Amino acid sequence: MTLTHARLWDAVDALARREGLTPSGLARRTGLDATSFNPSKRFGAGDPPRPRWPSTEILMQVLATTDLSLGEFADLAGDASDAPVSIPLLGLARAGQDGFFDNAGLPTGDGWEQTELPKAKDSLFSLQISGDSMAPLYREGDRVIVDRDAAQVRRGDRVVARLASGEVLAKEISSLTARAVTLSSINPDYPPRIVARGDIEWMARILWVSQ
């Protein structure tokens, strides 16, 4: 088996799950900065983005911390390529708090639970719906899977948007211009909200919901 960039990081993620940790938790246990294993740190600048590999020293630190041999890690990399993955899960209200997303809008830090999915991309994470503004489509407690690496959002897409104020909304895009986005609710009791583009930190398209 060739230990590709994707397989190596899959193995790191699988090892974190085996230890009952997030990648951030595994990094901290190893004595590294909590963001060292974040998905946003796995590629550098460039077009296309340049893959970043953990150094041999860091890899040996991880193996020593988890009492794993290099051969066992390689086996884990092979198993991880076809295994289900856990993606981060956070309540929608908590998503508005600081410390859960990095500057690219990808999940970081502690406090995330896990949602099991078949093999998935690093840019996926899950949020738990609160409130009834999107009822009956999304109900209180439903889990939505969103993709921060999705193609540019369009009119009609259902999205999760994080505002500069820290508020996080699950809405449908009813209008999209260079200056503003109109975010509408399914529930008619909630009027549309027109939000200036500069007040939106990021928008992620909703791919799937677990009800």
Side-chain angles (χ1 to χ4, degrees):
M1 181 198 71
T2 302
L3 192 59
T4 64
H5 177 265
R7 283 182 183 271
L8 188 147
W9 282 114
D10 281 347
V12 171
D13 291 338
L15 181 54
R17 290 195 301 274
R18 195 191 77 161
E19 297 294 311
L21 300 168
T22 63
S24 294
L26 180 62
R28 269 195 307 275
R29 182 189 285 185
T30 307
L32 304 170
D33 183 273
T35 65
S36 298
F37 296 155
N38 282 3
S40 59
K41 296 291 186 71
R42 300 178 185 186
F43 290 90
D47 187 14
R50 177 178 55 82
R52 285 179 174 167
W53 299 70
S55 69
T56 303
E57 180 182 1
I58 287 176
L59 186 56
M60 291 303 104
Q61 286 179 249
V62 171
L63 298 184
T65 299
T66 56
D67 196 25
L68 199 72
S69 72
L70 188 57
E72 289 171 325
F73 181 79
D75 289 341
L76 195 60
D79 293 341
S81 61
D82 299 315
V85 296
S86 296
I87 66 171
L89 165 71
L90 191 68
L92 197 65
R94 294 189 71 199
Q97 301 173 14
D98 292 334
F100 291 109
F101 297 94
D102 62 17
N103 291 335
L106 293 170
T108 187
D110 289 327
W112 295 84
E113 297 179 31
Q114 299 291 315
T115 294
E116 289 289 333
L117 282 184
K119 181 73 178 98
K121 300 188 296 182
D122 291 334
S123 57
L124 299 184
F125 56 92
S126 178
L127 295 170
Q128 195 163 31
I129 294 294
S130 58
D132 63 349
S133 69
M134 292 295 281
L137 183 65
Y138 305 142
R139 300 187 297 268
E140 179 92 22
D142 286 351
R143 298 179 178 189
V144 293
I145 306 299
V146 301
D147 187 2
R148 281 287 291 120
D149 192 34
Q152 184 176 359
V153 294
R154 298 177 177 85
R155 183 177 179 271
D157 284 349
R158 291 171 184 137
V159 300
V160 169
R162 179 179 165 112
L163 308 186
S165 64
E167 187 178 7
V168 179
L169 309 168
K171 299 291 181 183
E172 182 175 294
I173 298 176
S174 56
S175 176
L176 192 67
T177 70
R179 293 187 176 182
V181 179
T182 302
L183 299 172
S184 297
S185 302
I186 301 297
N187 187 335
D189 291 339
Y190 293 82
R193 292 182 58 172
I194 300 175
V195 183
R197 285 279 194 149
D199 291 335
I200 298 175
E201 288 189 356
W202 50 260
M203 288 190 291
R205 188 153 51 90
I206 296 175
L207 302 182
W208 178 79
V209 58
S210 173
Q211 298 179 320

